Amino acid sequence: MHRSTRHAPPGGAAGFTLLELLVVVAIIGLLVGFVAPRYFGQIGKSEVTAARAQIDALEKALDQYRLDTGHYPSTELGLDALMQRPQNEPKWNGPYLRKSVPLDPWGRPYQYRAPGEKGDFDLLSLGKDGAPGGSGEDADLSNH
């Protein structure tokens, strides 16, 4: 029975040819081309989901503040009133958050206004671009 075996080139060790290496690099490039956009798209979706969850948690903390004091913190006091007792606020029973007030997933503070344009208060993140408006990951996220 005859077996086919691969022999080392004369005078050297066995290795890969340039053509074999180019084929492997091309396959890796194709895989990265298919996987990378999906992966980075999921990161954007998770940041939006995290922002919505943080806005919801802040909204609940603000509601608890209102139940204790009878009003929401003013725009001037801002979200810091959830962590530190404002002066002349005897009914404050905080802190209302376990940790400090978070930044949005893009590293910027949430914007808070009371009274709000659309309700008792407005709480929003300007999205990935940090500018009003936008769509997709750049869209503004708010409690309304």
Side-chain angles (χ1 to χ4, degrees):
M1 188 182 286
H2 181 273
R3 286 190 200 177
S4 173
T5 58
R6 187 172 180 165
H7 296 284
F16 294 104
T17 66
L18 179 60
L19 183 60
E20 290 171 329
L21 289 174
L22 288 174
V23 168
V24 169
V25 168
I27 290 171
I28 291 172
L30 286 171
L31 289 174
V32 168
F34 286 120
V35 173
R38 290 187 179 140
Y39 174 74
F40 289 114
Q42 292 300 322
I43 290 174
K45 288 179 186 175
S46 66
E47 287 172 337
V48 169
T49 302
R52 288 182 191 204
Q54 287 176 334
I55 287 172
D56 185 53
L58 290 170
E59 192 173 21
K60 288 176 181 172
L62 287 162
D63 287 341
Q64 185 63 46
Y65 180 100
R66 184 187 59 80
L67 286 173
D68 288 347
T69 64
H71 57 85
Y72 289 106
S74 67
T75 302
E76 293 76 27
L77 291 174
L79 296 174
D80 290 336
L82 297 173
M83 295 301 296
Q84 297 175 349
R85 178 190 301 270
Q87 287 185 328
N88 301 322
E89 194 60 70
K91 295 180 182 178
W92 190 86
N93 195 23
Y96 298 96
L97 296 171
R98 290 184 188 176
K99 297 179 181 177
S100 63
V101 178
L103 297 175
D104 73 9
W106 301 279
R108 289 183 290 279
Y110 285 97
Q111 296 185 9
Y112 172 76
R113 281 176 249 143
E117 295 176 6
K118 299 179 181 178
D120 293 325
F121 64 89
D122 292 337
L123 181 60
L124 64 129
S125 166
L126 296 177
K128 184 177 182 177
D129 65 355
S135 62
E137 292 177 51
D138 294 336
D140 298 349
L141 302 166
S142 75
N143 62 316
H144 302 290

